Amino acid sequence: MQCLSSSDSEVRNLKITISYSGRDLHGWQIQKNALTVQECFQNALEEVIGCVPDIKGCSRTDTGVHANMYVISMKTEHRITCERLKAALNRYLPLSIVVLDIVEESDDFHARYSCKGKRYVYKILNREVRDPFSDGYALHYRYNIDVDMLNNAAQDYVGTHDFTSFCTLDKREKGDFTRTVKSFSVWREGDFVYMSVEADGFLYNMVRIMVGTLLKIQQGKLAPDSISDIIKAENRKEAGPTAPACGLYLDQVYY
Amino acid sequence: MQCLSSSDSEVRNLKITISYSGRDLHGWQIQKNALTVQECFQNALEEVIGCVPDIKGCSRTDTGVHANMYVISMKTEHRITCERLKAALNRYLPLSIVVLDIVEESDDFHARYSCKGKRYVYKILNREVRDPFSDGYALHYRYNIDVDMLNNAAQDYVGTHDFTSFCTLDKREKGDFTRTVKSFSVWREGDFVYMSVEADGFLYNMVRIMVGTLLKIQQGKLAPDSISDIIKAENRKEAGPTAPACGLYLDQVYY
């Protein structure tokens, strides 16, 4: 049931920070016939406050993508404290979703439109054999990854560019394909290789295509210095394939 | 189908090192009406070599317990190389089980009887809220754990003792309840607390009761110096509860 608003009640604007495992979920946005984070969250809200306020997520995420941090904004007239709302939602949410924090924000805060940037991390299991504990949580890449070489190559992503070559053509993306990448890092921790990218915004599948392009460089099918030319081409076909969703984590959302 | 042996064939004795997530498995040992590691492994072997040799596991593990390392020994007349057997088994095993290594051993090697010691690690998520990525893979304990205090208290486990107080009474355990604990460590990494224990052998549920006893000390319901007295009592009722299986990992098996 949607929440009704009465003009004389005090409306609070809440910033809700959650984390979720996307392995068994179909991304954020509500869909018919597929379980999404938004649907689970709305169901938990209905249990706790008796109706579903209009909630805003900080971004769409695809099926199988994870979030170490994801932000929701929500206006409500309900008087439950932030601390009690957090505890109650965590009782009703599935174990794949958890509320980390709830705070009251100013009236104009919006999870998506107030966002100044995001950081994504891509996780790769880099050893010969797969790992039972990483199934659904990392891409398995069995040949040795040269992290120094890829980290150098990836510095060409940094800066303000038209990233058309790194966007799955989709009617959801309109207008400006220019984004500013603030940093890109590739590093190893034991059997895992991580790639992290921070930008003011991301096009559809942008991180996964950036990762797929780096892996094509690793395979020797693209030159290490090819990224600048791929960007200039403004052509999706010049870049590498879209890396699988399972390795991708929304890691930080900046306001 | 069981493998038949012919007296004139060369028999090799293989040491197979695996890792598995126990979240959706009912421990090692084959059971009716419940999927176990042994059954999955035998099924994969039957696909690869056409019959099921007599395989020996290094220990029983309970439902929900994980293994970073677990060792199987197996005698076979099949001539497949170790490297090809590993690759083939990894194709047929479920994603929750992986073969890490296969080597040929001397004829008298036995996964269980040749074992000189093991190390278990217990993983605890120690923060207020649960974590979607640790569900089934760590005990969630929401109150702050004093790792220095518990690490000090746990040193009383070290040495050769009768560990009757730390054994679930069970007809599977017979005879000598004396074991030698070589080391016990408690440490923190971010939101996680780890407890590791190495011993020449373990009684049924011994690690989980040791962990449960430390958590009872953390709660102030047992004194930090009470472990020696609990050992001396040789009475299961003096120790703390059995900690949940989900946090327990067989981590090393020594030969």
Side-chain angles (χ1 to χ4, degrees):
Chain A
M1 188 181 73
Q2 287 293 310
C3 295
L4 300 172
S5 81
S6 58
S7 57
D8 56 349
S9 298
E10 193 194 353
V11 176
R12 290 180 304 153
N13 192 16
L14 302 183
K15 177 187 178 191
I16 303 174
T17 304
I18 69 171
S19 170
Y20 61 83
S21 159
R23 194 168 71 158
D24 302 322
L25 294 167
H26 289 256
W28 163 256
Q29 199 159 23
I30 214 155
Q31 293 178 32
K32 281 183 186 167
N33 306 322
L35 194 64
T36 65
V37 180
Q38 189 178 14
E39 180 176 342
C40 291
F41 204 83
Q42 288 184 354
N43 290 345
L45 274 173
E46 189 153 22
E47 292 284 349
V48 176
I49 68 173
C51 60
V52 181
D54 187 23
I55 62 175
K56 308 293 183 189
C58 64
S59 70
R60 303 180 196 99
T61 59
D62 282 339
T63 297
V65 172
H66 313 289
N68 295 324
M69 176 183 180
Y70 186 97
V71 175
I72 297 165
S73 56
M74 163 181 128
K75 295 192 178 183
T76 180
E77 296 175 358
H78 201 287
R79 298 182 63 181
I80 189 169
T81 65
C82 292
E83 202 52 39
R84 288 190 62 188
L85 179 59
K86 175 173 117 174
L89 286 171
N90 281 335
R91 274 199 299 278
Y92 287 106
L93 284 165
L95 294 175
S96 53
I97 306 173
V98 67
V99 176
L100 299 173
D101 193 44
I102 303 180
V103 294
E104 209 172 316
E105 277 285 348
S106 58
D107 183 59
D108 60 349
F109 176 79
H110 186 290
R112 186 167 175 198
Y113 300 129
S114 304
C115 175
K116 293 200 161 52
K118 298 193 191 88
R119 183 173 70 196
Y120 281 92
V121 172
Y122 197 91
K123 185 174 181 181
I124 301 171
L125 173 70
N126 186 37
R127 68 178 194 187
E128 185 204 347
V129 292
R130 54 185 174 72
D131 170 25
F133 304 104
S134 303
D135 172 38
Y137 294 105
L139 169 67
H140 179 207
Y141 187 86
R142 64 178 65 227
Y143 306 104
N144 185 53
I145 292 176
D146 181 343
V147 291
D148 291 335
M149 186 266 283
L150 291 192
N151 188 58
N152 284 336
Q155 297 318 306
D156 289 340
Y157 286 135
V158 178
T160 302
H161 308 291
D162 182 311
F163 280 100
T164 297
S165 297
F166 296 87
C167 177
T168 299
L169 292 176
D170 187 288
K171 60 186 174 189
R172 281 189 278 177
E173 294 296 340
K174 289 171 192 159
D176 190 8
F177 287 67
T178 299
R179 297 291 184 275
T180 298
V181 172
K182 293 174 187 172
S183 65
F184 202 116
S185 302
V186 182
W187 74 96
R188 176 184 297 278
E189 292 177 19
D191 284 337
F192 291 94
V193 168
Y194 295 88
M195 300 182 179
S196 94
V197 52
E198 184 183 333
D200 60 349
F202 292 89
L203 302 171
Y204 185 52
N205 281 347
M206 180 167 154
V207 181
R208 291 165 59 187
I209 300 170
M210 288 171 133
V211 170
T213 301
L214 286 171
L215 290 176
K216 201 165 175 181
I217 290 173
Q218 176 62 52
Q219 291 164 349
K221 294 176 181 170
L222 283 173
D225 62 356
S226 61
I227 287 175
S228 291
D229 288 341
I230 296 169
I231 293 172
K232 285 190 197 108
E234 296 181 18
N235 179 352
R236 171 70 187 87
K237 290 175 183 166
E238 298 293 316
T242 305
C246 64
L248 188 61
Y249 295 71
L250 177 54
D251 191 56
Q252 287 286 331
V253 189
Y254 302 104
Y255 291 97
Chain B
M1 185 180 76
Q2 288 293 308
C3 297
L4 300 171
S5 81
S6 58
S7 56
D8 56 350
S9 298
E10 194 195 352
V11 175
R12 290 179 303 153
N13 192 17
L14 302 183
K15 177 188 178 190
I16 303 174
T17 304
I18 68 171
S19 171
Y20 60 83
S21 159
R23 194 169 70 161
D24 303 321
L25 295 167
H26 289 257
W28 163 257
Q29 201 159 21
I30 215 154
Q31 292 177 34
K32 282 183 185 166
N33 307 322
L35 193 64
T36 66
V37 181
Q38 188 178 15
E39 181 176 341
C40 292
F41 204 83
Q42 289 184 351
N43 291 345
L45 274 173
E46 189 154 20
E47 293 285 349
V48 176
I49 69 173
C51 61
V52 181
D54 187 22
I55 62 175
K56 308 293 183 189
C58 65
S59 70
R60 302 180 197 98
T61 58
D62 282 340
T63 296
V65 172
H66 314 288
N68 295 325
M69 175 183 182
Y70 185 97
V71 175
I72 296 165
S73 57
M74 163 181 129
K75 296 192 177 182
T76 179
E77 296 175 355
H78 201 287
R79 297 180 63 181
I80 188 169
T81 66
C82 291
E83 202 53 38
R84 288 190 62 188
L85 180 59
K86 176 173 116 173
L89 286 172
N90 281 336
R91 273 200 299 277
Y92 286 106
L93 283 166
L95 293 175
S96 53
I97 307 173
V98 67
V99 176
L100 299 174
D101 192 43
I102 303 181
V103 293
E104 210 171 314
E105 276 285 347
S106 59
D107 182 60
D108 59 350
F109 176 79
H110 187 290
R112 186 167 175 199
Y113 301 129
S114 303
C115 175
K116 291 200 164 52
K118 297 191 192 91
R119 183 173 70 196
Y120 281 92
V121 172
Y122 197 91
K123 186 174 181 181
I124 301 170
L125 172 70
N126 186 37
R127 68 178 194 187
E128 185 203 346
V129 292
R130 53 186 175 72
D131 170 26
F133 303 104
S134 303
D135 172 39
Y137 294 105
L139 169 66
H140 180 207
Y141 188 86
R142 66 177 63 226
Y143 306 104
N144 185 52
I145 292 176
D146 181 342
V147 291
D148 291 335
M149 186 265 284
L150 291 193
N151 188 57
N152 284 337
Q155 298 318 306
D156 289 340
Y157 285 135
V158 178
T160 302
H161 308 290
D162 182 312
F163 281 100
T164 297
S165 297
F166 295 88
C167 177
T168 299
L169 292 176
D170 187 288
K171 60 187 174 188
R172 282 188 278 176
E173 295 295 341
K174 288 171 190 158
D176 190 6
F177 286 68
T178 299
R179 297 291 184 275
T180 298
V181 171
K182 293 174 187 171
S183 64
F184 201 116
S185 302
V186 182
W187 73 96
R188 176 183 296 278
E189 292 177 19
D191 284 337
F192 291 95
V193 169
Y194 295 88
M195 300 183 179
S196 94
V197 53
E198 184 184 332
D200 60 349
F202 291 90
L203 303 170
Y204 186 52
N205 281 347
M206 181 166 152
V207 182
R208 291 165 59 186
I209 300 170
M210 288 169 133
V211 170
T213 301
L214 286 171
L215 291 175
K216 201 165 174 181
I217 289 173
Q218 177 61 52
Q219 291 163 349
K221 294 177 181 169
L222 284 172
D225 62 356
S226 61
I227 286 174
S228 293
D229 287 341
I230 296 169
I231 293 172
K232 285 191 197 108
E234 296 183 16
N235 180 352
R236 171 68 187 90
K237 290 176 184 166
E238 297 294 316
T242 305
C246 65
L248 188 61
Y249 294 71
L250 177 54
D251 190 58
Q252 287 286 330
V253 190
Y254 303 105
Y255 292 98

